[in-house]
Amino acid sequence: MSAFGTVLCRGFDRVERALDAVFGPEWNPMAQLGTLGWFLFWIVTATGVYLFIFFDTGVVNAYTSIEWLTNDHWFHAGIARSFHRYASDLMIAVMLVHLVREFARGRHRGARWFSWITGVPLIWLVYICGITGYWLVWDRLAQYVAIASTELLDWLPIFGEPVARNFLTPDALSGRFFTLLVFLHIAVPLILLLVMWIHIQRITNARTAPSRELGGMVLAGLLIASLLLPARSQAAADLAKVPAQVGIDWFVLPLYPVMDLVPAGVIWAGVVLFTVGITALPWLPPKPRPAPVEVFLDHCNGCNRCVEDCPYGAVTLVPRTDGAPFPHQAEVDPDRCVACGICMGSCPSSTPFRRSIDLVTGIDLPDLSLKMVREQVIEAAETLEGAGRVLTLACAHGAAGRDMPGRVVLPCVAMTAPSLIDFILSRDLADGVAIAGCAERECQHRFGIEWTEQRIAATRDPYLRARVPRARLATIWAGPTETARLARELGAFQERLAALPADVRPSAGATRQSAQSIEEVEP
């Protein structure tokens, strides 16, 4: 990650920590921006359909029908209009913050390029929806937006006659033009929905709804805003006059004041450069991708656990090819694999108890294989001293992401097979194991925290054996700016370990074993 990206990521982490104190990790809106975008889209769609019942197309009728529903039926249609307006603004804000946040966390590069690229057209589709919606009101703001938009379009040599001519005189504009606008305002959101669906196709179990509590808070906030600051039209459009002053919706129409000052060619050049630049970000600057996981069929029985646990749909089951007595085998799509190692932690053959020379698992990371992890664990254990020795298995994206004595840094803590914890404690490599992942509000690899907790609780295979004393195990979920909290919780865990009764602590005769001396196979 670049220095700018690191600073931006830490800035987001500090903001999210503050929101954790208000909402809690499960309700933190910053951790549910994608789901909030979907939620707001459905609010805008539902209120738009309801408003269409009362809307009448036409040069005069459009404005009149909007005023009628706003004033005479304010208690239902008027509130629906305000919901429609404020949910649209909030959707744009959520979309832009989500975009910057994903960039800051580096989740636009590598195998995640697909979600980023398909997100770029969503930006323009959302703005087109908002702009055409303002046209339909046909007040002075709509007149200003229509003239500015058509003058910008006329700069492009795609129309036989200038579109802006439709707005020169009142007689030049017909009701058919409003019928076309209604069609566009319906068709573009349908295209938007299709692209939103494509946007999440490479994400396993993609969540498209926020928590009920957060969704309820959003609805309550929109209702309060709709009652206190109801959406109102400006004066009716009059093509015989040039609007001297209009109020701008800075969420939907931020470029329009600029369009009054800058030539159309410069505006189009800026739009093209922005679109090309943001589309190219996954490859700017070029960065080598980590090697994808590899499947070793001698140790794969097609159990499907890696398929179920992969957050990105990179692993699938295919018919067996090596003649082994199993119907399926795992197959990896390298274009989707982000090398998080979660599938390695889910594989039942990922046990460090086997002999070093034979330590091969069913699915393994070439750059950080199970054998390498075991060797790093043993080396880290040799640096531990004193009472309450804690060996930390750390997420590279959390507070413990830096290499330090007694710490093994992994792409994701869910790469840790439960048998590795058993191995560390049963061999007395440490008095306790701390799993230090990224922030609880959201895992860098989506399900790393959830899968880890379920394996420890023995509710998800492979699970941590009952023989492993839970008192000697701690989980710490801390973001990159929470190093003080990490140190505090590690210190408290170390003190608890030192105070454990003798029947929970390792036996006094147990000795730490080097990589060369651990040669036994688990019974």
Side-chain angles (χ1 to χ4, degrees):
M1 186 182 296
S2 65
F4 174 71
T6 300
V7 171
L8 201 57
C9 180
R10 290 181 174 274
F12 269 103
D13 196 60
R14 290 188 177 94
V15 172
E16 292 167 24
R17 283 169 55 192
L19 292 175
D20 276 345
V22 178
F23 297 97
E26 294 183 358
W27 298 2
N28 193 318
M30 293 295 287
Q32 302 188 49
L33 292 172
T35 60
L36 281 176
W38 278 88
F39 185 60
L40 291 166
F41 172 83
W42 292 121
I43 293 176
V44 173
T45 301
T47 53
V49 170
Y50 188 71
L51 291 172
F52 186 69
I53 298 172
F54 303 92
F55 183 74
D56 192 357
T57 60
V59 179
V60 177
N61 296 341
Y63 182 81
T64 303
S65 63
I66 291 291
E67 287 297 285
W68 176 70
L69 69 86
T70 302
N71 299 314
D72 295 3
H73 294 271
W74 68 269
F75 54 92
H76 61 99
I79 290 177
R81 180 191 179 185
S82 298
F83 255 78
H84 192 73
R85 158 73 182 276
Y86 293 129
S88 299
D89 288 347
L90 187 56
M91 182 178 178
I92 290 175
V94 164
M95 174 186 69
L96 295 179
V97 175
H98 179 58
L99 176 85
V100 177
R101 186 174 184 266
E102 294 301 290
F103 169 78
R105 295 185 178 275
R107 294 194 288 215
H108 63 295
R109 300 178 68 92
R112 293 185 173 186
W113 68 268
F114 181 83
S115 296
W116 181 266
I117 294 299
T118 54
V120 173
L122 291 178
I123 300 172
W124 299 122
L125 288 170
V126 168
Y127 275 110
I128 292 172
C129 290
I131 292 169
T132 56
Y134 269 108
W135 284 26
L136 293 176
V137 179
W138 203 232
D139 58 1
R140 288 184 180 177
L141 177 60
Q143 178 184 345
Y144 165 72
V145 170
I147 294 173
S149 300
T150 52
E151 288 177 347
L152 184 66
L153 288 172
D154 284 340
W155 188 86
L156 300 173
I158 58 177
F159 298 105
E161 296 183 358
V163 182
R165 288 183 180 179
N166 291 296
F167 304 98
L168 292 178
T169 64
D171 296 333
L173 192 62
S174 68
R176 287 181 298 177
F177 188 78
F178 277 87
T179 302
L180 174 62
L181 285 181
V182 170
F183 172 77
L184 288 175
H185 199 56
I186 294 174
V188 176
L190 291 176
I191 298 173
L192 173 64
L193 178 61
L194 173 63
V195 179
M196 289 170 65
W197 176 77
I198 295 173
H199 180 62
I200 62 174
Q201 286 309 293
R202 286 200 173 191
I203 301 174
T204 303
N205 298 326
R207 294 165 180 165
T208 57
S211 63
R212 291 183 179 181
E213 297 82 1
L214 183 58
M217 286 189 285
V218 170
L219 288 174
L222 291 173
L223 179 59
I224 293 172
S226 299
L227 292 174
L228 296 179
L229 298 169
R232 301 284 185 185
S233 302
Q234 300 181 34
D238 185 355
L239 294 180
K241 300 178 181 179
V242 177
Q245 186 175 3
V246 293
I248 291 291
D249 182 345
W250 291 101
F251 289 94
V252 180
L253 310 171
L255 279 180
Y256 278 80
V258 180
M259 290 162 58
D260 292 335
L261 305 173
V262 179
V266 176
I267 295 294
W268 281 116
V271 169
V272 171
L273 288 175
F274 172 79
T275 304
V276 172
I278 198 171
T279 302
L281 278 178
W283 300 278
L284 295 176
K287 180 181 178 181
R289 286 180 57 179
V293 292
E294 296 178 355
V295 176
F296 296 90
L297 293 183
D298 289 346
H299 303 275
C300 175
N301 63 2
C303 69
N304 201 47
R305 291 175 185 169
C306 55
V307 177
E308 292 179 350
D309 283 6
C310 179
Y312 309 103
V315 189
T316 55
L317 288 185
V318 297
R320 200 78 190 188
T321 60
D322 62 347
F326 305 106
H328 299 100
Q329 66 186 45
E331 184 176 80
V332 177
D333 181 351
D335 190 44
R336 292 192 176 194
C337 179
V338 301
C340 62
I342 291 178
C343 57
M344 177 177 159
S346 69
C347 184
S349 65
S350 293
T351 171
F353 284 96
R354 300 203 308 260
R355 296 178 182 275
S356 299
I357 57 174
D358 300 323
L359 196 55
V360 179
T361 185
I363 190 165
D364 216 350
L365 277 176
D367 296 336
L368 188 59
S369 65
L370 178 64
K371 183 177 181 180
M372 296 177 188
V373 171
R374 190 175 79 167
E375 291 172 350
Q376 290 183 17
V377 163
I378 295 171
E379 291 175 4
E382 292 174 349
T383 65
L384 301 177
E385 297 178 352
R389 297 168 298 144
V390 177
L391 194 150
T392 304
L393 302 175
C395 169
H397 306 281
R402 293 186 303 170
D403 287 321
M404 292 183 64
R407 182 180 297 177
V408 177
V409 179
L410 307 171
C412 179
V413 290
M415 180 181 174
T416 302
S419 56
L420 180 63
I421 301 171
D422 191 358
F423 174 81
I424 295 170
L425 297 179
S426 64
R427 297 297 185 266
D428 190 31
L429 297 178
D431 297 326
V433 174
I435 297 178
C438 41
E440 186 179 3
R441 73 186 75 92
E442 186 185 31
C443 175
Q444 175 74 8
H445 292 296
R446 302 184 63 235
F447 299 127
I449 294 174
E450 187 175 351
W451 292 172
T452 300
E453 289 181 333
Q454 290 180 8
R455 291 170 187 169
I456 293 173
T459 59
R460 188 179 192 88
D461 284 334
Y463 51 81
L464 186 62
R465 291 186 172 188
R467 74 182 186 185
V468 178
R470 269 41 178 193
R472 297 177 62 191
L473 176 63
T475 55
I476 304 170
W477 311 120
T481 62
E482 297 180 276
T483 52
R485 174 189 165 193
L486 172 70
R488 184 171 61 253
E489 295 197 21
L490 283 175
F493 179 48
Q494 187 174 17
E495 292 177 2
R496 292 198 303 271
L497 288 174
L500 285 176
D503 58 342
V504 180
R505 289 187 305 225
S507 61
T511 57
R512 279 182 269 178
Q513 303 178 44
S514 66
Q516 291 75 23
S517 64
I518 301 174
E519 295 290 338
E520 58 187 287
V521 180
E522 182 181 358

